[in-house]
Amino acid sequence: MSEARPHLLVVDDEQSIRDPLADYLERNGFRASRAASAKEARRLLAAYAIDLVVLDVMMPGEDGLSLARPLRWPTAAAAAYRPAPPGASAGGGAGRRTRTDREL
């Protein structure tokens, strides 16, 4: 049953931020893993199917932005799952990539 819950990864070098946030997420129905560094986050990302990463961008060593760059969806997958922008005609932009998120 616990596997059906969305699995979140909280990455922050500050334990005083990481642990309360992960605890809060767990109390609210999420499965939360914790990582204190980008290196530890990569290990967890390789080992588990993570649905969402909550990431500190200003960590010492490898920062959160360099960790996030390779986590973006590949272009073809992103185009397949992103909704069409408001006002777009149905079928008019098949195969075109829409920009619904900010690229890092």
Side-chain angles (χ1 to χ4, degrees), residues 23-85:
D23 290 342
Y24 174 83
L25 293 168
E26 289 171 341
R27 284 192 310 271
N28 285 279
F30 296 97
R31 182 175 170 210
S33 293
R34 304 154 199 234
S37 66
K39 181 178 179 179
E40 188 177 352
R42 288 185 196 286
R43 182 183 61 76
L44 291 169
L45 286 163
Y48 300 101
I50 302 293
D51 297 302
L52 177 77
V53 178
V54 179
L55 183 59
D56 176 10
V57 297
M58 295 180 56
M59 294 187 296
E62 183 180 0
D63 65 30
L65 291 177
S66 65
L67 174 63
R69 282 186 189 97
L71 297 179
R72 293 181 302 171
W73 282 3
T75 302
Y81 289 100
R82 289 184 181 151

